[in-house]
mmCIF file of all heavy atoms in Angstrom:
data_model
loop_
_atom_site.group_PDB
_atom_site.id
_atom_site.type_symbol
_atom_site.label_atom_id
_atom_site.label_comp_id
_atom_site.label_asym_id
_atom_site.label_seq_id
_atom_site.Cartn_x
_atom_site.Cartn_y
_atom_site.Cartn_z
ATOM 1 N N VAL A 1 21.612 30.614 -2.422
ATOM 2 C CA VAL A 1 21.241 29.147 -2.731
ATOM 3 C C VAL A 1 22.559 28.418 -2.737
ATOM 4 O O VAL A 1 23.486 28.911 -3.290
ATOM 5 C CB VAL A 1 20.536 29.055 -4.105
ATOM 6 C CG1 VAL A 1 20.249 27.578 -4.365
ATOM 7 C CG2 VAL A 1 19.227 29.879 -4.177
ATOM 8 N N LEU A 2 22.498 27.290 -2.207
ATOM 9 C CA LEU A 2 23.676 26.256 -2.200
ATOM 10 C C LEU A 2 23.370 25.170 -3.136
ATOM 11 O O LEU A 2 22.457 24.506 -2.877
ATOM 12 C CB LEU A 2 24.174 25.839 -0.864
ATOM 13 C CG LEU A 2 25.213 24.806 -0.816
ATOM 14 C CD1 LEU A 2 26.575 25.417 -1.397
ATOM 15 C CD2 LEU A 2 25.415 24.162 0.459
ATOM 16 N N ILE A 3 24.228 25.017 -4.216
ATOM 17 C CA ILE A 3 23.871 23.751 -5.117
ATOM 18 C C ILE A 3 24.925 22.734 -4.770
ATOM 19 O O ILE A 3 26.117 23.063 -4.760
ATOM 20 C CB ILE A 3 24.174 24.171 -6.532
ATOM 21 C CG1 ILE A 3 23.270 25.416 -6.944
ATOM 22 C CG2 ILE A 3 23.862 23.049 -7.542
ATOM 23 C CD1 ILE A 3 21.759 25.244 -6.815
ATOM 24 N N THR A 4 24.545 21.628 -4.394
ATOM 25 C CA THR A 4 25.352 20.554 -3.929
ATOM 26 C C THR A 4 24.647 19.269 -4.233
ATOM 27 O O THR A 4 23.636 19.125 -4.906
ATOM 28 C CB THR A 4 25.737 20.595 -2.469
ATOM 29 O OG1 THR A 4 26.619 19.749 -2.083
ATOM 30 C CG2 THR A 4 24.367 20.513 -1.597
ATOM 31 N N GLY A 5 25.346 18.127 -3.985
ATOM 32 C CA GLY A 5 24.842 16.873 -4.192
ATOM 33 C C GLY A 5 23.692 16.419 -3.093
ATOM 34 O O GLY A 5 23.630 16.991 -2.125
ATOM 35 N N ASP A 6 22.759 15.517 -3.556
ATOM 36 C CA ASP A 6 21.637 15.204 -2.730
ATOM 37 C C ASP A 6 21.889 13.899 -1.983
ATOM 38 O O ASP A 6 21.112 13.475 -1.226
ATOM 39 C CB ASP A 6 20.399 15.076 -3.723
ATOM 40 C CG ASP A 6 19.113 14.926 -2.872
ATOM 41 O OD1 ASP A 6 18.985 15.563 -1.888
ATOM 42 O OD2 ASP A 6 18.162 14.221 -3.224
ATOM 43 N N LYS A 7 23.096 13.398 -2.157
ATOM 44 C CA LYS A 7 23.422 12.013 -1.420
ATOM 45 C C LYS A 7 23.991 12.576 -0.051
ATOM 46 O O LYS A 7 24.483 13.701 0.119
ATOM 47 C CB LYS A 7 24.362 11.348 -2.224
ATOM 48 C CG LYS A 7 23.719 10.701 -3.410
ATOM 49 C CD LYS A 7 24.615 9.723 -4.108
ATOM 50 C CE LYS A 7 24.023 9.191 -5.377
ATOM 51 N NZ LYS A 7 24.853 8.365 -6.170
ATOM 52 N N PRO A 8 24.190 11.555 0.951
ATOM 53 C CA PRO A 8 24.934 11.880 2.244
ATOM 54 C C PRO A 8 26.240 12.422 1.941
ATOM 55 O O PRO A 8 26.905 12.090 1.151
ATOM 56 C CB PRO A 8 24.926 10.558 2.862
ATOM 57 C CG PRO A 8 23.835 9.776 2.313
ATOM 58 C CD PRO A 8 23.642 10.127 0.871
ATOM 59 N N GLY A 9 26.549 13.526 2.771
ATOM 60 C CA GLY A 9 27.814 14.219 2.752
ATOM 61 C C GLY A 9 27.915 15.253 1.599
ATOM 62 O O GLY A 9 28.795 15.880 1.384
ATOM 63 N N GLY A 10 26.721 15.493 0.886
ATOM 64 C CA GLY A 10 26.779 16.449 -0.241
ATOM 65 C C GLY A 10 27.356 15.922 -1.497
ATOM 66 O O GLY A 10 27.610 16.713 -2.490
ATOM 67 N N TRP A 11 27.384 14.537 -1.708
ATOM 68 C CA TRP A 11 27.819 13.973 -2.913
ATOM 69 C C TRP A 11 26.721 13.699 -3.815
ATOM 70 O O TRP A 11 25.622 13.715 -3.446
ATOM 71 C CB TRP A 11 28.694 12.810 -2.612
ATOM 72 C CG TRP A 11 29.918 13.004 -1.881
ATOM 73 C CD1 TRP A 11 30.114 12.859 -0.598
ATOM 74 C CD2 TRP A 11 31.119 13.489 -2.480
ATOM 75 N NE1 TRP A 11 31.446 13.151 -0.229
ATOM 76 C CE2 TRP A 11 32.147 13.605 -1.407
ATOM 77 C CE3 TRP A 11 31.679 13.876 -3.765
ATOM 78 C CZ2 TRP A 11 33.307 14.084 -1.554
ATOM 79 C CZ3 TRP A 11 32.834 14.397 -3.914
ATOM 80 C CH2 TRP A 11 33.764 14.429 -2.774
ATOM 81 N N GLY A 12 27.014 13.463 -5.087
ATOM 82 C CA GLY A 12 26.006 13.100 -6.137
ATOM 83 C C GLY A 12 25.794 14.138 -7.301
ATOM 84 O O GLY A 12 25.455 13.708 -8.383
ATOM 85 N N CYS A 13 26.343 15.274 -7.085
ATOM 86 C CA CYS A 13 26.344 16.186 -8.220
ATOM 87 C C CYS A 13 27.566 16.174 -9.019
ATOM 88 O O CYS A 13 28.677 15.950 -8.461
ATOM 89 C CB CYS A 13 26.086 17.636 -7.673
ATOM 90 S SG CYS A 13 25.000 18.732 -8.531
ATOM 91 N N PRO A 14 27.561 16.305 -10.422
ATOM 92 C CA PRO A 14 28.724 16.176 -11.102
ATOM 93 C C PRO A 14 29.781 17.227 -10.856
ATOM 94 O O PRO A 14 29.330 18.369 -10.527
ATOM 95 C CB PRO A 14 28.218 16.343 -12.533
ATOM 96 C CG PRO A 14 26.975 16.904 -12.594
ATOM 97 C CD PRO A 14 26.349 16.589 -11.249
ATOM 98 N N LEU A 15 30.985 16.927 -10.851
ATOM 99 C CA LEU A 15 32.133 17.851 -10.490
ATOM 100 C C LEU A 15 32.269 18.788 -11.649
ATOM 101 O O LEU A 15 32.120 18.585 -12.762
ATOM 102 C CB LEU A 15 33.390 17.079 -10.271
ATOM 103 C CG LEU A 15 33.333 15.885 -9.283
ATOM 104 C CD1 LEU A 15 34.657 15.219 -9.297
ATOM 105 C CD2 LEU A 15 33.026 16.470 -7.882
ATOM 106 N N SER A 16 32.516 20.026 -11.232
ATOM 107 C CA SER A 16 32.849 21.117 -12.124
ATOM 108 C C SER A 16 31.776 21.485 -13.122
ATOM 109 O O SER A 16 31.984 22.038 -14.209
ATOM 110 C CB SER A 16 34.209 20.932 -12.885
ATOM 111 O OG SER A 16 35.195 20.740 -11.895
ATOM 112 N N ALA A 17 30.535 21.157 -12.787
ATOM 113 C CA ALA A 17 29.429 21.386 -13.754
ATOM 114 C C ALA A 17 28.992 22.938 -13.760
ATOM 115 O O ALA A 17 29.233 23.629 -12.710
ATOM 116 C CB ALA A 17 28.199 20.639 -13.244
ATOM 117 N N GLY A 18 28.635 23.336 -14.901
ATOM 118 C CA GLY A 18 28.202 24.740 -14.994
ATOM 119 C C GLY A 18 26.793 24.969 -14.601
ATOM 120 O O GLY A 18 25.946 24.134 -14.773
ATOM 121 N N VAL A 19 26.579 26.112 -13.980
ATOM 122 C CA VAL A 19 25.296 26.511 -13.417
ATOM 123 C C VAL A 19 24.809 27.856 -13.980
ATOM 124 O O VAL A 19 25.678 28.857 -13.865
ATOM 125 C CB VAL A 19 25.188 26.625 -11.968
ATOM 126 C CG1 VAL A 19 23.755 26.991 -11.332
ATOM 127 C CG2 VAL A 19 25.762 25.380 -11.292
ATOM 128 N N ASN A 20 23.694 27.919 -14.684
ATOM 129 C CA ASN A 20 23.245 29.141 -15.182
ATOM 130 C C ASN A 20 21.800 29.378 -14.445
ATOM 131 O O ASN A 20 21.059 28.467 -14.416
ATOM 132 C CB ASN A 20 22.994 29.234 -16.736
ATOM 133 C CG ASN A 20 24.252 29.114 -17.300
ATOM 134 O OD1 ASN A 20 25.202 29.953 -17.155
ATOM 135 N ND2 ASN A 20 24.373 28.263 -18.192
ATOM 136 N N TRP A 21 21.642 30.574 -13.996
ATOM 137 C CA TRP A 21 20.376 30.765 -13.168
ATOM 138 C C TRP A 21 19.761 32.207 -13.549
ATOM 139 O O TRP A 21 20.484 33.167 -14.023
ATOM 140 C CB TRP A 21 20.534 30.745 -11.620
ATOM 141 C CG TRP A 21 21.606 31.730 -11.138
ATOM 142 C CD1 TRP A 21 22.896 31.513 -10.993
ATOM 143 C CD2 TRP A 21 21.390 33.102 -10.742
ATOM 144 N NE1 TRP A 21 23.558 32.555 -10.379
ATOM 145 C CE2 TRP A 21 22.544 33.679 -10.190
ATOM 146 C CE3 TRP A 21 20.256 33.970 -10.628
ATOM 147 C CZ2 TRP A 21 22.792 34.889 -9.817
ATOM 148 C CZ3 TRP A 21 20.482 35.242 -10.176
ATOM 149 C CH2 TRP A 21 21.667 35.651 -9.758
ATOM 150 N N ILE A 22 18.452 32.425 -13.350
ATOM 151 C CA ILE A 22 17.727 33.664 -13.437
ATOM 152 C C ILE A 22 16.748 33.671 -12.324
ATOM 153 O O ILE A 22 16.081 32.788 -11.989
ATOM 154 C CB ILE A 22 16.948 33.739 -14.750
ATOM 155 C CG1 ILE A 22 16.300 35.105 -15.008
ATOM 156 C CG2 ILE A 22 16.132 32.483 -14.943
ATOM 157 C CD1 ILE A 22 15.779 35.321 -16.328
ATOM 158 N N ASN A 23 16.774 35.000 -11.726
ATOM 159 C CA ASN A 23 15.719 35.275 -10.709
ATOM 160 C C ASN A 23 14.611 35.882 -11.327
ATOM 161 O O ASN A 23 14.596 36.885 -11.985
ATOM 162 C CB ASN A 23 16.282 36.276 -9.568
ATOM 163 C CG ASN A 23 15.377 36.423 -8.498
ATOM 164 O OD1 ASN A 23 14.158 36.638 -8.651
ATOM 165 N ND2 ASN A 23 15.947 36.623 -7.306
ATOM 166 N N LEU A 24 13.446 35.038 -11.442
ATOM 167 C CA LEU A 24 12.233 35.554 -12.177
ATOM 168 C C LEU A 24 11.571 36.668 -11.451
ATOM 169 O O LEU A 24 10.871 37.442 -12.256
ATOM 170 C CB LEU A 24 11.360 34.310 -12.278
ATOM 171 C CG LEU A 24 11.879 33.000 -13.011
ATOM 172 C CD1 LEU A 24 10.932 31.920 -12.910
ATOM 173 C CD2 LEU A 24 12.240 33.370 -14.435
ATOM 174 N N ALA A 25 11.867 36.994 -10.337
ATOM 175 C CA ALA A 25 11.151 38.113 -9.612
ATOM 176 C C ALA A 25 11.988 39.404 -9.848
ATOM 177 O O ALA A 25 11.276 40.487 -10.033
ATOM 178 C CB ALA A 25 11.161 37.899 -8.135
ATOM 179 N N THR A 26 13.204 39.389 -10.009
ATOM 180 C CA THR A 26 14.076 40.638 -10.241
ATOM 181 C C THR A 26 14.595 40.750 -11.527
ATOM 182 O O THR A 26 15.120 41.813 -11.926
ATOM 183 C CB THR A 26 15.211 40.660 -9.115
ATOM 184 O OG1 THR A 26 16.077 39.539 -9.438
ATOM 185 C CG2 THR A 26 14.642 40.517 -7.764
ATOM 186 N N GLY A 27 14.723 39.597 -12.353
ATOM 187 C CA GLY A 27 15.474 39.626 -13.599
ATOM 188 C C GLY A 27 16.915 39.380 -13.567
ATOM 189 O O GLY A 27 17.612 39.355 -14.530
ATOM 190 N N ALA A 28 17.529 39.275 -12.359
ATOM 191 C CA ALA A 28 18.970 39.156 -12.196
ATOM 192 C C ALA A 28 19.372 37.771 -12.698
ATOM 193 O O ALA A 28 18.629 36.822 -12.627
ATOM 194 C CB ALA A 28 19.317 39.199 -10.724
ATOM 195 N N THR A 29 20.560 37.741 -13.299
ATOM 196 C CA THR A 29 21.018 36.389 -13.863
ATOM 197 C C THR A 29 22.382 36.164 -13.415
ATOM 198 O O THR A 29 23.074 37.098 -12.954
ATOM 199 C CB THR A 29 21.013 36.375 -15.394
ATOM 200 O OG1 THR A 29 21.885 37.471 -15.855
ATOM 201 C CG2 THR A 29 19.635 36.621 -16.040
ATOM 202 N N GLY A 30 22.906 34.939 -13.591
ATOM 203 C CA GLY A 30 24.299 34.698 -13.156
ATOM 204 C C GLY A 30 24.721 33.324 -13.669
ATOM 205 O O GLY A 30 23.896 32.513 -14.108
ATOM 206 N N ALA A 31 26.027 33.040 -13.495
ATOM 207 C CA ALA A 31 26.523 31.792 -13.851
ATOM 208 C C ALA A 31 27.595 31.483 -12.808
ATOM 209 O O ALA A 31 28.231 32.257 -12.149
ATOM 210 C CB ALA A 31 27.141 31.926 -15.242
#
């Protein structure tokens, strides 16, 4: 998965933001 901005050129998402995720199918997690 690529997390990026939704505006043209990939802008719009806050800089240096933290991302925490979980794969509900496998139980894998990450940050």
Side-chain angles (χ1 to χ4, degrees):
V1 180
L2 174 67
I3 305 299
T4 188
D6 194 35
K7 292 183 180 178
W11 294 99
C13 219
L15 306 176
S16 303
V19 180
N20 294 305
W21 58 268
I22 182 169
N23 185 323
L24 301 172
T26 64
T29 61

